[in-house]
Each structure stands twice: as structure tokens, then as C-alpha cells.
Amino acid sequence: MKLSFKLLALLALLSLNVLAQQKAQLFSVKNAKPVDQVNVFLGSSADHGQMSPAASAPFSMLSIGPQTYPKTHTGYEFLARKFEGFTHNRFEGVGCQGSGGNIFIKPFLGNDPAQSTLIKVSEKASPGYYEVGFENKIKASFTVLGKAGKHFYQFPKGPKGFYFDLGYAFNGAFVAESHEVNGNTISGWITSKTTCGVGKYKLFYYMEIGDNVSWKVVDEHKMIAMLKGELTSVGINIALSAVSIEAAKNSINKNLFNTVKEQSKADWNTNLSKIAVNGDLESAKLFYSLLYRTMQSPYVISEADGTYRNTKGEIQKDKEIRYNGWAIWDNYRTQLPLLSLIEQDRYAGMVNSIADLYHSGKKDYAGQNEPSNTVRSEHAIVVLLDAYRKGYHVDFSKIADSLVKEVNGLDYKSPDKALESSYDNWALSEIFKILNNKEKSDFYLNKALEYKKYWNKDFKDMTKNDVDRMQARGLYQGTIWQYRWFVPYDFKGLIELDGGEESYLAKLDEFFARDLYNHANEPDLQVPLMYNVTRSGYKSQYWMHQLAADTVIQNYFNDNSRGIGSYIGKIYRNQPKAYLRTMDDDAGAMSAWYVFAASGFSPACVGWPIYYLNVPLFPSLTYNLPKGKTFTIETENFNLKNKYIKAVFLNGKPYKKNFITQEEINAGGVLKIVASAMPVKISDTENWISSLEK
């Protein structure tokens, strides 16, 4: 009896311990902060995201980060031990070998910077903060709030100083600079080439270095600031501006380092708390680490008084905050739609900033007088239409002529360009419909419908031997198989072109069965959702779950390779080598794709305020919306094995649709998704399908 009693007691104790461990592995915003879950080192090693752990603030052009040897696109490699110094801007997650890397600073010991080596021995970082310790006992810490940042260095005793290179930039992108040294301050402007080196941007800066410094000029762009006396700690204040040196000076933050660090952390937490997840702790860490990446760009370019520079370099003024730093071809599909939900106060300014591009003579890539680093802006017209239909103000009448000029100049030379250009023609047709101009609306609708002749020519016959070859027939970063689905504006017409639903489904099934899908790049990013326009919507539910959270096979990569070292595993991992080989985050595009998939809804067609449903990756999530409203997605029968939708309820009532609208989300309420391990093959839901029918 005693033995039995002891055994029962032991089992009870073990059971309680297991329950305690299980409880400890759950996350809830009721007892933990989203900001504390973020791993800023995710995607910072090799070509697995092209992200950095730099100290940054939401949508700030200033990010203070390390320059390692060797480096990746953002100047940093997680595995590197040798550091060259620190710089003050970078475009997170983009290709073309990255860009930025301005205002280089290296702390050093002794009297010769070249003889002082920085070897990493410790490192930690979190949103808004980065620190690193070196073998030579130098320790460097950085924090950023808005456009202002602070450095804090700890040194051993002895001679020491800072080496500055104002002509430093990634990939030889430096163009020109001018600076002035005045006591312990240095200020000026720098012009560098933008991402991909197409255009140029100009930034202004103001910097204060401690109290006791003596300057030595090395050459035209390089100088040394020696620290006087036996200082063992010193701070540097810096601020950037797209407007002027004076504006940068006015942004300098004089508060104590730790005060600014805590303010930055609180600011990040406010932004990250726009979505509250409840569930597995490790899943929450991945979710918030990716959500963090969706809030790096575009950059605020206006000052507190409303002044900003447009893309002609001209000074303008407006009450509304202005933004620049676009990667629209990459992130119009996911990141911008996400911001339209979670950053609604900011998004109005982003939308008007995109419209402003047309006043300045918009190009697909950067111009020569950009107010910040930027990449590209194709499909901006689709973003504007999408925003208008989501309730954001867009004055199309003021930019209609510029929209016409852009669309009339579109390129149809390659098969992919023909489909992409047709998308913009459709958007312009819809805009003229909004403007009550039937003649022009019909004209551009007919232009959009011409996609059918291009599709029949290049995408109908899938027996040709080049259909699975990267860049065949002049395609950009994709295959015929991957681009054939790019008709988001007319899925109904696509099904008809493909020979009807049976043929369409057979081709989709073959596409996934042969692992022809490429998540390392954007051209086919919408394809997992494309079963939703048929009676086999459960297959979209399967693939959204599989790609977001389970093992997949990937044969295509962003370096245009195929079948070389196929990848088998999860795509999204919370580690420095986070993504597929060669997969860029593309300014938050790929992170936002995951955030949507994990939330249980994803954009059906940018230009329509419609989201297709899938089973979320959490038991519950809540979107915190303006005016105190909340939209909660609950999953009944939650289990990662239950990836199919059995039933849906909105505010307690049966919801017989496979989609939800932005208006329904913004209205607030509770969407309950009943999950099942078995697919529901016979469904009575209303399926949304895009169509170009007149």
C-alpha cells in the first residue's frame, strides 16, 4: 500500500511537472510582451533572408549596425568574428548585393586605427538595440528612436579614438559627400547610389561625439577623432534627415542612453502588439520575429514641421507624414496589404506618398534625387486601387494623366511582362470606372484582356521542353510554369483559357506534385491560394499550411538555379539561416506572407479588398484595430495536424464564404474557424473569383 501510494504520488508530481512545463511553453500577451519574443538575428547569416540585427526604429531611415568581414547584403554576417566598424543605414532584405552602409565609424585603441582589430566575443540585440563586445575590451552599444540614434562605447585605459569614413558605402555605391567639423560635432550630406545602383539618394546628418576630441584628417573623406584624457566611456549622438542638416540637428536626442533604449523598446512593442497571438511560445517567437521585419520600410522622410523632399529633390510641406524607400514589385502582394490592416494611421501617408511619385515623374526604379534609399515601384497603380477600395483616400483625378502615361509605356516584350502589364491595365480600367469615365475604362479593360493572346502563345502548351527552365524566353527570375498563373485579375478567364476547371486543376496538381513552385522568389507567390477559385479549395488550405509550417521540397532558387541541391525542410525557421538558400525577405514581403498565413487569411488579388481563408497557426489571434476595435480569429479543434476548414462562423453566425473582406475585418468581431484533419471535399461555400467580364 505504501509503495502504491508513493508511486501514485510520484506520478502525480511528474504529471504536475509536465503540465507546468507545457504551461511555460505557451505565449499570451496577458503575461508577456511581443517585443521580448523577437529574434533580430533571424535571416542574418549567408543568403537566407538578407536581414541584419541593426538597431532600428519602425519605418526609420536610420539603422545603426555592424560591418563584419565577410559580410552579406546588409553588411553583417552572423558567423563572422571580425568586425570592420559600424554604419547607419541599410535596406533590409533586398537583393542586388544590398545598399546603404553610409557614415562608417570604427572605434580603436592606440593611435593607428589600422592596427586595432575588432574580434567579436559577445553579442546581443533586440528591437531598437544592438551591442557587441570585442577581444580588446571595447564594448559598443546602439539604440535608435525615430530618426535619432545613440552610440555608447566602453574602452580600456590608454589612447583611443574613432575612425570615420564618410565615403564608405556598400558595393562602391558612394557618389559624393560634404562635411563640416566644428568642435565635437560633424555634420554634412552624403549621396549614394540606390539599391541595384539605378538612381541616387541624398541624406543629411548631424553627429555629436563626447566632449574632448581632437581631429586628424586622413584624406578627403576620412578622419580620426582622438579622445583626450583617460576617458573609458563615451557617447555619440546622431540623427538623419532627408531634408537638411538643420533638421537632422533638431532631431538629436539628448536623453540618457538607457532612457532612449527603453522608449525604443516600448515603441516597438506598441507596433508589434497590433497583432496579439496566443499559443505555442516557439511559434510566437517566429511570428513576432517576422512581424518585426514587416515594419522596417518604407522610411519616414518628412520632419515634425511637415517638410519633406519629393523624388525630384524639391522641398515640399504637408501635415501628413511622407514616406519613401519602396520595393513595391516585391511587397505589394503581402507587406503593403498587411500594413493596410495593422498600421492604418501610417498607411494613409504611405498611400499618398505613392501617389506623390506620379507628381514627380515616377519611374519603375529609382530616380536621381531620391530622399532615401529605394528599390522599385512597379504595380504602384495596383496598390493605389487596392487602398482606395479599402477606404483610403486617393485623388485619382489629380494623377490620372500620369497613370495613363505609365500604363501606355508598359513593356510587353517578354511573356511575364505581358501578364504583369495587363495587371496594370486592369487597374487603370477600374480607376477610370471610379472616375465615371466609361470610354477610358472600356479601353483599358480591352487592353487588359489582351493578356489572353499572350497567354495562349506562351503559357497554354506545357509540353515544350523549356517550360520548367529558369529565365526561358526572357522571363525575369522565374519559369513558364511559375508565371503561367500570374493572372490574379482574371482567374475566371484563366480557367477558361486552360480548358475548364478539370484541366486547370490537373495543371495545378501537376505544378505542386512536381515541386515546381518557388517560394524563394515572388512570381508564383499567389499560386498556393489558387485552388480557392475551384471546388477543391481544401488544397489551398493544405498548401498554405505546408509552406508556412511543414516540410516541403524546393527545387528553384533566387539565383535562377534549378535542381541543384534541392532543399527539403521548413522554409520559415527562427535562426540566422532562416529561409531557403538565396531567398531574400524583400523588404518584408516574405515575412508578411507568413504573418498572413499564420493569421488564417491572405490577399486574394491586390486591387480587391478580399482575403482567402485558411486554418491559422495559432489557437487564437487578435488584430487590434483603430477606434478600439478588435478582430479575433479563433480556431476550434486547433492542432497543427488539423489543416483543413470544416466550418466558419462570424460573430456566432454560420459564414458560408471562403473569403473575408477588409470591411468585415475592420468592423471587428470574432471569426471562428473549425479545423479538421480531413479535407472537406464537398463544400457549400461561396467562392470569390476575380473576373474581367464587362
Side-chain angles (χ1 to χ4, degrees):
M1 287 291 291
K2 288 182 179 179
L3 184 63
S4 297
F5 178 78
K6 286 181 179 179
L7 184 60
L8 286 169
L10 180 61
L11 288 171
L13 187 63
L14 286 171
S15 178
L16 285 171
N17 188 42
V18 169
L19 287 170
Q21 287 179 343
Q22 288 175 340
K23 188 175 182 181
Q25 295 302 306
L26 295 178
F27 171 84
S28 171
V29 291
K30 293 178 181 177
N31 50 39
K33 293 181 178 178
V35 71
D36 293 329
Q37 315 313 314
V38 175
N39 172 18
V40 299
F41 293 103
L42 184 154
S44 65
S45 182
D47 196 348
H48 292 267
Q50 304 298 359
M51 299 178 244
S52 87
S56 67
F59 309 104
S60 173
M61 64 173 68
L62 173 66
S63 66
I64 310 177
Q67 302 302 117
T68 63
Y69 176 81
K71 66 179 178 67
T72 60
H73 290 22
T74 59
Y76 173 87
E77 162 58 58
F78 178 78
L79 297 176
R81 292 192 64 216
K82 183 179 180 180
F83 279 48
E84 296 179 332
F86 306 95
T87 58
H88 293 79
N89 65 331
R90 67 218 73 241
F91 209 130
E92 295 282 351
V94 298
C96 293
Q97 303 304 308
S99 62
N102 298 130
I103 314 175
F104 176 92
I105 299 179
K106 177 185 177 181
F108 66 91
L109 300 179
N111 295 294
D112 183 359
Q115 298 301 312
S116 189
T117 304
L118 300 174
I119 304 297
K120 176 177 70 175
V121 293
S122 65
E123 182 180 38
K124 69 178 182 179
S126 57
Y129 179 71
Y130 175 83
E131 76 168 48
V132 60
F134 300 110
E135 281 185 354
N136 62 8
K137 307 304 181 186
I138 293 177
K139 183 179 178 182
S141 306
F142 312 95
T143 190
V144 173
L145 182 65
K147 294 178 195 161
K150 300 180 83 72
H151 299 223
F152 182 70
Y153 297 91
Q154 294 168 276
F155 293 98
K157 291 183 179 180
K160 62 189 69 75
F162 296 105
Y163 168 76
F164 294 84
D165 184 354
L166 300 176
Y168 189 95
F170 298 152
N171 311 314
F174 171 73
V175 176
E177 68 93 8
S178 175
H179 66 270
E180 179 182 340
V181 175
N182 186 3
N184 70 324
T185 70
I186 179 170
S187 59
W189 56 262
I190 296 173
T191 302
S192 281
K193 295 176 185 176
T194 59
T195 305
C196 305
V198 179
K200 295 192 291 286
Y201 66 91
K202 187 174 186 178
L203 62 82
F204 300 87
Y205 67 92
Y206 187 88
M207 186 164 27
E208 301 172 336
I209 305 132
D211 292 320
N212 301 306
V213 294
S214 60
W215 294 92
K216 176 185 175 183
V217 176
V218 177
D219 67 19
E220 186 180 1
H221 307 302
K222 301 169 185 174
M223 66 205 77
I224 293 170
M226 294 298 299
L227 300 176
K228 298 177 182 178
E230 281 299 315
L231 289 172
T232 55
S233 65
V234 64
I236 296 177
N237 289 329
I238 185 168
L240 300 185
S241 172
V243 174
S244 66
I245 294 168
E246 189 65 25
K249 182 179 179 180
N250 291 338
S251 293
I252 288 287
N253 195 321
K254 299 278 191 179
N255 291 325
L256 294 173
F257 184 94
N258 282 337
T259 300
V260 176
K261 176 187 171 185
E262 290 305 310
Q263 288 174 333
S264 181
K265 179 179 179 180
D267 187 25
W268 271 115
N269 195 61
T270 297
N271 281 273
L272 293 165
S273 296
K274 297 290 179 69
I275 308 177
V277 304
N278 290 281
D280 175 67
L281 177 61
E282 293 306 313
S283 296
K285 288 179 178 179
L286 175 61
F287 181 90
Y288 283 116
S289 298
L290 295 173
L291 182 61
Y292 167 76
R293 291 296 166 187
T294 70
M295 301 177 184
Q296 301 290 328
S297 61
Y299 311 121
V300 174
I301 58 167
S302 53
E303 299 298 327
D305 66 355
T307 57
Y308 67 96
R309 288 182 187 270
N310 63 19
T311 52
K312 288 182 178 178
E314 301 165 336
I315 293 284
Q316 306 285 314
K317 192 168 186 178
D318 198 284
K319 293 178 182 178
E320 192 174 60
I321 295 172
R322 285 299 195 272
Y323 296 81
N324 193 58
W326 307 109
I328 298 177
W329 185 87
D330 301 295
N331 59 26
Y332 81 93
R333 299 164 170 85
T334 52
Q335 187 241 13
L336 292 176
L338 181 66
L339 297 183
S340 80
L341 279 168
I342 64 173
E343 295 284 355
Q344 296 194 28
D345 51 344
R346 287 185 178 273
Y347 199 66
M350 293 177 187
V351 168
N352 282 325
S353 298
I354 293 172
D356 277 351
L357 297 176
Y358 289 94
H359 294 301
S360 303
K362 177 187 168 297
K363 299 177 176 65
D364 283 348
Y365 278 78
Q368 298 302 308
N369 296 285
E370 296 287 342
S372 74
N373 196 352
T374 192
V375 189
R376 55 197 303 188
S377 60
E378 297 102 317
H379 296 315
I381 187 174
V382 177
V383 174
L384 294 177
L385 174 63
D386 187 70
Y388 177 86
R389 285 182 163 154
K390 289 174 176 176
Y392 291 96
H393 174 73
V394 183
D395 191 343
F396 287 121
S397 62
K398 287 187 176 179
I399 59 172
D401 290 346
S402 296
L403 294 174
V404 166
K405 183 180 178 182
E406 179 180 57
V407 171
N408 286 350
L410 290 171
D411 182 2
Y412 296 80
K413 291 175 184 175
S414 58
D416 56 324
K417 286 284 189 181
L419 298 186
E420 299 259 4
S421 297
S422 297
Y423 197 1
D424 286 6
N425 274 280
W426 165 76
L428 186 55
S429 171
E430 295 295 306
I431 288 167
F432 276 121
K433 193 180 293 182
I434 291 165
L435 293 173
N436 295 315
N437 189 327
K438 187 177 186 305
E439 182 182 352
K440 287 189 175 180
S441 178
D442 287 347
F443 175 82
Y444 286 103
L445 175 58
N446 288 327
K447 285 284 290 181
L449 283 165
E450 289 179 11
Y451 87 85
K452 294 184 178 184
K453 71 178 182 183
Y454 296 105
W455 197 93
N456 280 324
K457 175 179 175 289
D458 277 297
F459 299 104
K460 190 175 186 71
D461 183 0
M462 300 306 291
T463 64
K464 296 179 181 179
N465 62 9
D466 67 345
V467 294
D468 60 351
R469 191 182 307 155
M470 293 294 285
Q471 295 184 297
R473 308 181 207 174
L475 296 176
Y476 176 71
Q477 295 185 337
T479 67
I480 292 292
W481 263 111
Q482 289 155 13
Y483 269 107
R484 82 185 303 267
W485 311 105
F486 191 76
V487 192
Y489 41 90
D490 190 21
F491 284 149
K492 186 173 183 180
L494 176 63
I495 291 173
E496 291 170 357
L497 287 174
D498 215 6
E501 188 169 308
E502 291 294 336
S503 177
Y504 170 86
L505 283 171
K507 288 290 195 302
L508 261 183
D509 288 344
E510 181 183 355
F511 181 69
F512 285 106
R514 292 175 54 193
D515 300 305
L516 297 169
Y517 173 75
N518 178 15
H519 202 76
N521 209 354
E522 283 86 354
D524 57 356
L525 208 57
Q526 81 287 352
V527 184
L529 294 166
M530 290 179 63
Y531 285 102
N532 280 306
V533 302
T534 74
R535 65 183 185 281
S536 298
Y538 65 92
K539 292 182 180 179
S540 278
Q541 296 157 25
Y542 171 85
W543 279 110
M544 292 301 288
H545 180 279
Q546 202 74 10
L547 291 161
D550 215 328
T551 298
V552 293
I553 298 171
Q554 291 283 279
N555 291 318
Y556 291 88
F557 301 95
N558 202 20
D559 58 2
N560 296 315
S561 63
R562 175 178 67 91
I564 303 170
S566 298
Y567 174 80
I568 304 172
K570 289 186 178 182
I571 295 173
Y572 292 92
R573 295 163 293 170
N574 191 6
Q575 60 189 47
K577 290 188 176 181
Y579 288 169
L580 303 170
R581 174 175 63 81
T582 78
M583 178 174 161
D584 299 338
D585 189 42
D586 281 329
M590 296 308 198
S591 291
W593 186 96
Y594 178 90
V595 170
F596 271 126
S599 298
F601 58 94
S602 296
C605 170
V606 180
W608 290 110
I610 306 290
Y611 301 87
Y612 286 129
L613 301 177
N614 64 273
V615 176
L617 299 181
F618 293 91
S620 70
L621 306 90
T622 296
Y623 276 61
N624 292 304
L625 304 167
K627 300 177 182 177
K629 291 184 178 180
T630 60
F631 182 72
T632 299
I633 308 102
E634 296 177 348
T635 306
E636 188 175 301
N637 302 330
F638 178 81
N639 187 306
L640 289 180
K641 293 179 180 178
N642 298 344
K643 59 190 75 172
Y644 300 104
I645 296 176
K646 185 177 181 180
V648 180
F649 297 86
L650 180 61
N651 298 325
K653 297 178 181 178
Y655 189 78
K656 297 291 186 177
K657 299 177 182 178
N658 74 342
F659 65 95
I660 193 163
T661 67
Q662 184 110 345
E663 184 179 14
E664 288 170 319
I665 293 171
N666 280 334
V670 178
L671 183 76
K672 183 167 77 171
I673 294 175
V674 182
S676 168
M678 299 299 293
V680 178
K681 295 186 176 182
I682 300 176
S683 173
D684 60 350
T685 60
E686 175 191 338
N687 293 357
W688 185 84
I689 181 168
S690 59
S691 173
L692 286 190
E693 289 182 350
K694 294 183 180 180

